[in-house]
């Protein structure tokens, strides 16, 4: 029999991008540069599981602005969130991670709930942190959007798994009740998480993340009032997002960004610029907003890393350091305190070298030079740490 590539929730073929409505009629929405349309018999094949829920049926007039009455996103960050939503409707580019932080009462979970309803409604809309890496991939296999709430911390293994899932990868393990068979799970999913304090601290995952701090809210609604507003307004909002997505796809070929100015999530940056222009903004405006968000997030994580903070403080005192990593390890000892005597402080020059390689991209983003030699010299591996001119 013929074989077909199957998709979950989001698909693509030569006719355009597709979004499965998950209704009883198996209809889907086709989005192209010319607009969007609900199709009774999609040309792509979708698969479903029993926990998937239907998306709202979009109304053709479409309005995006009502979404800001349902989510607690600061005005200056709204275009970042819009671009993140539109990127979740694609499946052929790496996905940025969205991190929502804020004190108790800042509507983090309800905001995340609305975003999930517009992308990938599911029986379990918000879930707690996975217990292990395997749980991350199981969630990725059964959802399009991975939605995690109330996180207080994430382990290094979970952080690495989220990196892999957002950009596309997989895992393999021995198939249960067998000796020599493997079960392989491919994963490529957008991710949104929330917590009172920031939990994404490792630079590799942070470089893929949009970090937003939500303000506290003064006006509250009952669950019944909120549910009623969501049901009434989501069809219009979803239609508005689809129209903006179509306009963004049409603008993408016209976006020109110098390679030296492209961030790590290059495809997302191009989409954001295309979306911003569709909203009537000048080219470069959205990219500046995105880069500022990344710099703010990096400063936060440097303060949370005793080694990174010590390197920064050393540069402020001595302007630069050029020499061996062993020499730098001894110099940084003056910044070692009882507060940072933990597993985060390296026990050897080799451990310091590993940390320096991890934080180097973040330092360059903030205007510092941090480079480590690939090969050792007679006296050891050398490094350079200084302010860029």
């Amino acid at each position: 029999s013929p074989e077909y590539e199957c998709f979950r929730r989001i698909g693509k073929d030569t006719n355009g991008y597709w979004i499965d409505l998950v209704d009883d009629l198996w209809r889907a929405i086709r989005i192209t540069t010319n607009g969007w349309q609900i199709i009774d018999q999609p040309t792509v094949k979708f698969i479903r599981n029993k926990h998937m829920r239907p998306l709202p049926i979009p109304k053709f007039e479409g309005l995006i602005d009502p979404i800001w009455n349902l989510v607690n996103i600061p005005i200056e960050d709204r275009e970042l969130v819009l671009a993140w939503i539109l990127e979740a409707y694609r499946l052929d580019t790496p996905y940025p991670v969205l991190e929502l932080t804020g004190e108790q009462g800042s509507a983090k979970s309800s905001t995340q709930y609305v975003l999930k309803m517009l992308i990938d409604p599911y029986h379990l809309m918000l879930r707690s942190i996975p217990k292990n890496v395997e749980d991350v991939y199981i969630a990725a296999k059964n959802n399009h959007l991975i939605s995690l709430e109330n996180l207080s911390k994430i382990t290094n293994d979970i952080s690495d798994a989220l990196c892999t899932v957002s950009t596309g990868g997989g895992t393999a393990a021995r198939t249960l009740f067998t000796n020599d068979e493997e079960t392989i799970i491919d994963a490529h999913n957008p991710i949104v998480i929330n917590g009172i304090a920031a939990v994404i601290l490792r630079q590799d995952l942070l470089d893929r993340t949009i970090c937003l701090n939500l303000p506290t809210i003064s006006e509250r609604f009952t669950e019944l009032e909120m549910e009623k507003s969501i049901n009434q307004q989501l069809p219009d909002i979803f239609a508005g997002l689809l129209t903006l997505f179509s306009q963004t796809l049409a603008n993408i070929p016209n976006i020109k960004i110098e390679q030296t100015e492209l961030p790590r999530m290059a495809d997302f940056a191009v989409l954001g610029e295309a979306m911003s222009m569709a909203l009537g903004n000048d080219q470069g405006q959205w990219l500046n907003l995105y880069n500022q968000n990344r710099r703010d997030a990096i400063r936060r994580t440097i303060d949370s890393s005793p080694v990174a903070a010590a390197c920064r403080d050393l540069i402020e005192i001595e302007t630069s350091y050029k020499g061996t990593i062993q020499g730098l390890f001894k110099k940084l000892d003056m910044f070692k305190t009882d507060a940072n005597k933990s597993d985060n402080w390296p026990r050897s020059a080799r451990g310091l070298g590993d940390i320096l390689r991890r934080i180097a991209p973040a330092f360059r983003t903030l205007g510092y030079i941090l480079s480590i030699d690939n090969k050792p010299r007679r006296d050891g591996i050398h490094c350079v740490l200084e302010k860029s001119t």
Side-chain angles (χ1 to χ4, degrees):
S1 298
E3 293 184 0
Y4 300 94
E5 181 179 8
C6 295
F7 302 93
R8 176 174 282 106
R9 186 67 77 174
I10 305 296
K12 184 184 180 183
D13 65 3
T14 56
N15 295 313
Y17 288 94
W18 295 84
I19 303 175
D20 185 10
L21 284 172
V22 191
D23 64 358
D24 294 337
L25 300 177
W26 284 83
R27 295 179 299 172
I29 302 170
R30 181 181 64 199
I31 309 100
T32 67
T33 56
N34 297 318
W36 59 271
Q37 184 180 8
I38 297 177
I39 303 298
D40 292 334
Q41 296 182 336
T43 55
V44 298
K45 305 297 182 183
F46 285 106
I47 56 176
R48 301 174 179 174
N49 62 54
K50 63 182 179 180
H51 301 299
M52 296 174 67
R53 293 172 56 185
L55 280 160
I57 305 300
K59 296 182 178 179
F60 274 91
E61 53 269 26
L63 294 170
I64 293 180
D65 286 344
I67 191 177
W68 310 124
N69 298 324
L70 302 178
V71 298
N72 185 32
I73 301 295
I75 295 175
E76 62 272 17
D77 296 325
R78 288 177 177 177
E79 289 192 12
L80 291 175
V81 173
L82 283 179
W84 178 83
I85 294 173
L86 299 190
E87 188 66 275
Y89 295 149
R90 299 202 292 181
L91 77 165
D92 48 357
T93 56
Y95 291 117
V97 177
L98 180 63
E99 181 186 40
L100 307 176
T101 60
E103 63 182 70
Q104 182 180 349
S106 54
K108 300 182 296 296
S109 294
S110 59
T111 294
Q112 192 166 321
Y113 178 90
V114 172
L115 296 177
K116 177 85 169 166
M117 285 292 294
L118 289 166
I119 299 172
D120 182 36
Y122 199 76
H123 179 72
L124 182 61
M125 296 291 284
L126 309 175
R127 62 180 68 208
S128 59
I129 184 68
K131 295 180 180 179
N132 51 52
V133 171
E134 183 181 40
D135 289 345
V136 174
Y137 287 100
I138 294 298
K141 179 178 175 61
N142 289 279
N143 294 256
H144 173 60
L145 173 62
I146 299 177
S147 177
L148 309 174
E149 70 161 345
N150 293 331
L151 273 62
S152 57
K153 64 179 180 179
I154 54 177
T155 65
N156 291 340
D157 288 343
I158 296 294
S159 179
D160 290 341
L162 294 178
C163 279
T164 302
V165 169
S166 66
T167 53
T171 186
R174 181 176 63 85
T175 302
L176 294 179
F177 308 112
T178 65
N179 291 325
D180 58 357
E181 294 183 20
E182 275 192 326
T183 295
I184 297 175
I185 299 178
D186 293 317
H188 183 206
N189 306 67
I191 300 166
V192 56
I193 68 175
N194 80 57
I196 292 177
V199 297
I200 295 180
L201 302 176
R202 287 167 64 93
Q203 296 298 330
D204 47 358
L205 180 57
L206 185 70
D207 213 22
R208 299 168 166 87
T209 302
I210 301 170
C211 303
L212 303 183
N213 187 261
L214 308 190
T216 55
I217 56 176
S218 56
E219 298 181 3
R220 301 187 182 278
F221 301 95
T222 65
E223 289 291 333
L224 185 60
E225 291 172 331
M226 189 67 181
E227 191 69 26
K228 182 178 179 181
S229 296
I230 290 175
N231 292 334
Q232 289 178 345
Q233 299 185 49
L234 281 194
D236 279 328
I237 296 170
F238 188 34
L241 290 171
L242 293 173
T243 299
L244 180 59
F245 185 36
S246 173
Q247 295 168 348
T248 299
L249 293 176
N251 281 342
I252 284 178
N254 303 321
I255 301 301
K256 305 297 180 184
I257 303 176
E258 296 294 332
Q259 290 186 343
T260 55
E261 297 179 1
L262 278 173
R264 181 171 188 172
M265 304 298 288
D267 293 285
F268 177 59
V270 172
L271 176 135
E273 280 289 284
M275 180 207 71
S276 183
M277 292 185 67
L279 293 172
N281 299 322
D282 296 330
Q283 184 164 342
Q285 182 174 325
W286 186 92
L287 186 59
N288 290 336
L289 176 65
Y290 179 51
N291 285 333
Q292 184 60 50
N293 181 272
R294 294 175 65 238
R295 286 191 290 268
D296 291 343
I298 288 171
R299 291 190 184 96
R300 179 200 73 200
T301 58
I302 285 180
D303 290 334
S304 68
S305 168
V307 174
C311 289
R312 180 198 58 196
D313 295 342
L314 178 66
I315 298 173
E316 296 300 325
I317 295 173
E318 300 190 6
T319 307
S320 68
Y321 172 84
K322 296 181 180 179
T324 64
I325 293 180
Q326 180 67 45
L328 180 61
F329 181 67
K330 293 179 180 179
K331 272 186 171 291
L332 293 180
D333 194 61
M334 73 175 76
F335 298 97
K336 190 175 181 180
T337 65
D338 291 336
N340 58 32
K341 285 181 180 178
S342 66
D343 293 337
N344 293 325
W345 193 267
R347 300 179 181 179
S348 64
R350 179 178 179 180
L352 175 61
D354 293 339
I355 294 176
L356 292 178
R357 291 183 179 88
R358 187 178 292 275
I359 67 175
F363 266 58
R364 287 195 290 269
T365 300
L366 296 180
Y368 299 107
I369 294 174
L370 175 54
S371 60
I372 304 98
D373 288 350
N374 292 325
K375 295 182 179 180
R377 305 181 191 181
R378 289 185 177 181
D379 55 348
I381 297 178
H382 280 235
C383 66
V384 175
L385 179 61
E386 61 185 358
K387 291 183 178 179
S388 59
T389 55

